[in-house]
């Protein structure tokens, strides 16, 4: 194995460029997905069928189809429609569909939003009745109850599952390498492999970087769980 090529300045710079794109895609998609998930979770627990059913159909589709297919549908499908291309140079947001980064970011954001919305909606439904009854006894209205009692409690309880989603989103960002002209961490490893014919070195180095990021994310999630779910931990004698 020839590791000296991997640690050459040009090769390391290529990996750092791919790492920057991977982190941007992961963090921005998680941020956008969290905002969309909150809105969709409220729709999923709504009593109104016209509000609940379209969102439920959307989350069902996004969770039931591979993320790679969704990337292809947005970049190779939706972005190639004639009426979208006719607005590429004039109308926002259609002007963004010619950008590979935007297409990948959009697909990742919608995917993580669907999964997170179902997690949050499930946590809202499982809120203990005693908390709701106590809040109503204090005279809280429906939206005040949701904002001050139900949502904070549900978000705390979904933290362990959401930590897994964060890690999965990081790993799923490797699919950005399938979008032309977009160089993420996996794409950088593929380019090193094609240039130097070093498959093990190229992909093992990328895997090591993914592992470091994963452990950092897991550590951050564990700190949040310890901070906000500490009251559920068994008390020491």
């Amino acid at each position: 194995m020839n590791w000296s090529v991997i640690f050459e300045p040009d090769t390391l710079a290529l990996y750092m460029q791919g790492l920057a794109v991977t982190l941007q895609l992961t963090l921005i998609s998680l941020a956008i997905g969290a905002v969309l998930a909150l809105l969709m979770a409220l729709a999923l627990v709504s009593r109104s069928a016209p509000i609940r059913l379209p969102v439920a159909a959307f989350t069902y589709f996004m969770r039931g189809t591979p993320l790679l297919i969704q990337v292809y549908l947005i970049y190779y499908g939706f972005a190639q429609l004639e009426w979208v291309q006719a607005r590429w140079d004039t109308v926002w947001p259609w002007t963004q569909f010619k950008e590979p980064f935007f297409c990948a970011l959009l697909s990742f954001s919608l995917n993580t939003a669907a999964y997170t919305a179902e997690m949050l909606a499930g946590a809202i439904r499982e809120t203990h009745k005693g908390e709701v009854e106590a809040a109503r006894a204090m005279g809280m209205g429906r939206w005040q109850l949701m904002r001050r009692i139900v949502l904070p409690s549900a978000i705390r309880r979904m933290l362990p599952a959401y930590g897994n989603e964060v890690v999965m989103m990081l790993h799923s960002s490797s699919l950005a390498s399938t979008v032309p002209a977009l160089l993420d961490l996996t794409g950088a490893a593929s380019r090193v492999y094609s240039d130097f014919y070093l498959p093990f070195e190229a992909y093992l180095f990328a895997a090591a970087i993914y592992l470091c990021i994963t452990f950092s994310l897991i550590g951050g999630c564990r700190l949040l769980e310890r901070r906000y779910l500490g009251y559920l931990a068994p008390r020491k004698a």
Side-chain angles (χ1 to χ4, degrees):
M1 301 181 77
N2 185 9
W3 287 99
S4 61
V5 173
I6 301 299
F7 293 100
E8 291 182 356
D10 292 341
T11 306
L12 288 177
L14 185 65
Y15 275 107
M16 292 304 101
Q17 180 183 351
L19 174 61
V21 173
T22 292
L23 291 178
Q24 289 175 10
L25 283 172
T26 302
L27 297 178
I28 297 176
S29 62
L30 286 172
I32 296 175
V35 175
L36 295 177
L38 176 60
L39 300 176
M40 289 192 290
L42 294 176
L44 288 172
V45 298
S46 173
R47 300 174 183 175
S48 175
I51 296 177
R52 182 180 68 255
L53 294 181
V55 177
F58 171 78
T59 59
Y60 181 83
F61 174 81
M62 299 302 291
R63 294 185 302 123
T65 56
L67 178 56
L68 180 60
I69 299 297
Q70 297 165 20
V71 173
Y72 284 165
L73 285 175
I74 292 177
Y75 185 76
Y76 292 108
F78 187 77
Q80 304 303 320
L81 296 176
E82 293 183 0
W83 64 273
V84 174
Q85 293 183 351
R87 295 166 173 80
W88 272 10
D89 299 322
T90 56
V91 183
W92 190 92
W94 314 122
T95 54
Q96 298 299 314
F97 277 92
K98 58 184 176 181
E99 301 294 336
F101 185 89
F102 175 81
C103 293
L105 179 64
L106 178 60
S107 58
F108 294 162
S109 300
L110 294 178
N111 184 271
T112 188
Y115 280 95
T116 307
E118 289 291 347
M119 294 179 201
L120 183 55
I124 291 174
R125 297 187 189 101
E126 293 174 0
T127 301
H128 197 277
K129 293 182 179 179
E131 298 182 40
V132 177
E133 292 173 357
R136 287 175 176 170
M138 295 292 295
M140 291 187 184
R142 182 180 179 186
W143 290 109
Q144 188 179 20
L145 169 65
M146 180 67 69
R147 179 174 58 87
R148 299 186 61 181
I149 304 298
V150 177
L151 276 178
S153 175
I155 291 174
R156 285 197 301 268
R157 286 181 281 107
M158 68 168 281
L159 279 178
Y162 186 66
N164 294 332
E165 172 61 20
V166 170
V167 174
M168 289 300 297
M169 194 68 254
L170 169 66
H171 296 168
S172 299
S173 67
S174 62
L175 295 177
S177 60
T178 62
V179 178
L182 186 59
L183 184 73
D184 71 325
L185 186 55
T186 302
S190 299
R191 184 173 297 182
V192 172
Y193 163 56
S194 64
D195 290 344
F196 301 101
Y197 300 101
L198 298 173
F200 288 104
E201 295 89 335
Y203 289 112
L204 282 176
F205 188 69
I209 297 176
Y210 277 116
L211 279 174
C212 292
I213 304 173
T214 299
F215 287 142
S216 300
L217 291 176
I218 292 175
C221 291
R222 292 293 180 268
L223 289 176
L224 289 176
E225 291 175 24
R226 190 178 304 172
R227 171 66 176 83
Y228 294 104
L229 296 177
Y231 67 97
L232 296 177
R235 294 184 179 180
K236 296 181 180 180

